Amino acid sequence: MADPAAQYTAEALARRFELEVVGDGDIVVEGVCALEPGRERRLAFAETARQRDIAAASRASLLIVPRQLIDLDRPVLLVSDTPRLSFARVAAVFERPASEPGIAPGAVVAASAQVAPSASVGANAVIGERAVIGAAVIVGAGGVIESDTTIGMGSTIGPRAVIRSGTMLGERVVVGAGAVIGERGFGLVPGPAGLEAVPQLGGVRIEDDVEIGANSTIDRGAIDDTVVRTGVKIDNQVHVAHNCVIGAHTVIAGCTGIAGSCTIGSRCMIGGGVGIGDHVSIADGAIITAASQVPKDIDTEGVYSSTFRAMPARAWRKRLALFRALDRIEARLKRVETKNGISGDPL
């Protein structure tokens, strides 16, 4: 949701994001738009010289362009070596929802909680004992911030999100609607009368500039904290179990499940629906494609997959029949090799 109150001059954006201004730096924009057809008082971007005609005709008031488009006949341009990245960074300043500072009617704030004057606490939100809510934090309607929790400056907690006791969030963290951070981990041990719960005494530490999608869950640690490092981006409906450590700037797509005590490296890309087994370590920079299963450590940067692509159902059933027959096929092959005096590697 864009902030309707946000307005920036081209010169101000150039200074903030280290861009070069060509033309009238006093032109004001109040949001972003697509390059074609574009909108007045909005910013768009072009990436290549092939977009020259579209960029020239765009109704956008301000464009971010590569250096090969610096000669466009426009009132003002922002020049970048990486226009798409620069556009993403600029667009982020308009993304933060507008919210008036203060505590909305119906919100419940404990007497021992510290809420910064510039923070916004939505209707029916709950702030627990000794919680610390930093400057410019937004807690959405129905959000729950439990006791002894710290929310860093500029963070946004979505509607109905729950931040359980003892959780620490850094600055500019975004938690989507319905997410739950710091729930007890799924720790069980067999006992004489069945499974018994293992106390989950750790917490969760979320570092700066992390995004956690709607309805995602991150469990607190059993003893040590679960840790999500700087710049991690987690999609909707992702589960991170207790005692995991997610390395800086890793990206995790929707519906992925990460079992307990995993260590995920920095700059990893994990596709949607991936399942990662407990106590698995994944190297920095690893890419795991969608729906893969990861039961063992990945020690080297690279691209990893473990699933079949979709195929017609009849073809899949034929392959499934072969899978089920693999033991018999292997035994038959060994008999043939033995009969013919062939010594081959085992399958």
Side-chain angles (χ1 to χ4, degrees):
M1 176 180 177
D3 182 350
Q7 294 184 349
Y8 297 88
T9 66
E11 183 66 40
L13 292 173
R15 287 197 305 269
R16 181 168 175 175
F17 297 102
E18 300 181 346
L19 304 173
E20 178 183 343
V21 182
V22 176
D24 182 6
D26 292 330
I27 284 180
V28 173
V29 292
E30 56 189 25
V32 297
C33 65
L35 182 63
E36 188 179 22
R39 293 173 58 189
E40 291 185 2
R41 296 181 69 85
R42 295 290 193 273
L43 174 144
F45 78 103
E47 281 192 282
T48 68
R50 292 193 300 273
Q51 295 174 294
R52 175 178 294 275
D53 292 343
I54 297 172
S58 177
R59 295 202 293 268
S61 297
L62 179 60
L63 298 182
I64 300 176
V65 298
R67 195 158 298 279
Q68 58 262 45
L69 295 180
I70 199 171
D71 59 341
L72 278 173
D73 184 17
R74 304 278 306 190
V76 61
L77 297 168
L78 296 179
V79 182
S80 170
D81 293 333
T82 54
R84 181 180 293 270
L85 177 59
S86 296
F87 177 81
R89 289 171 174 169
V90 172
V93 306
F94 297 104
E95 183 180 30
R96 185 174 171 83
S99 187
E100 291 294 326
I103 299 171
V108 177
V109 179
S112 61
Q114 301 176 39
V115 180
S118 58
S120 172
V121 179
N124 301 316
V126 177
I127 311 296
E129 299 287 349
R130 299 172 301 280
V132 177
I133 309 300
V137 166
I138 297 173
V139 179
V144 177
I145 311 298
E146 291 191 345
S147 61
D148 301 299
T149 291
T150 300
I151 311 294
M153 179 180 67
S155 294
T156 300
I157 311 301
R160 302 178 307 282
V162 178
I163 313 298
R164 300 299 305 269
S165 181
T167 299
M168 298 180 63
L169 271 62
E171 298 182 356
R172 300 173 301 279
V173 173
V174 177
V175 178
V180 180
I181 312 299
E183 187 58 80
R184 73 174 301 278
F186 193 58
L188 302 169
V189 62
L195 295 174
E196 299 182 22
V198 177
Q200 305 290 291
L201 305 177
V204 177
R205 286 187 287 121
I206 309 292
E207 296 184 354
D208 297 344
D209 299 305
V210 169
E211 296 182 13
I212 299 165
N215 293 323
S216 289
T217 53
I218 300 177
D219 289 346
R220 68 178 184 260
I223 298 176
D224 296 327
D225 291 344
T226 300
V227 180
V228 180
R229 301 291 187 195
T230 299
V232 167
K233 310 300 181 187
I234 296 176
D235 198 2
N236 299 337
Q237 299 181 351
V238 170
H239 178 64
V240 179
H242 59 197
N243 293 105
C244 288
V245 177
I246 311 296
H249 305 293
T250 281
V251 178
I252 304 173
C255 298
T256 284
I258 302 174
S261 300
C262 288
T263 300
I264 311 298
S266 300
R267 298 173 289 97
C268 294
M269 299 178 66
I270 299 176
V274 169
I276 300 176
D278 59 290
H279 294 84
V280 165
S281 293
I282 295 177
D284 292 347
I287 298 172
I288 302 172
T289 61
S292 295
Q293 301 300 304
V294 187
K296 296 181 180 180
D297 291 354
I298 293 176
D299 299 322
T300 306
E301 179 178 351
V303 180
Y304 295 84
S305 302
S306 65
T307 57
F308 287 92
R309 295 182 182 274
M311 63 183 72
R314 186 171 183 178
W316 167 246
R317 285 193 289 270
K318 288 181 177 180
R319 285 160 176 78
L320 183 59
L322 286 173
F323 293 150
R324 290 171 173 168
L326 280 178
D327 288 344
R328 290 188 286 107
I329 293 171
E330 181 182 13
R332 182 182 301 175
L333 180 58
K334 286 182 177 179
R335 288 197 297 270
V336 170
E337 289 177 340
T338 300
K339 181 178 179 180
N340 291 278
I342 300 172
S343 178
D345 294 331
L347 292 176

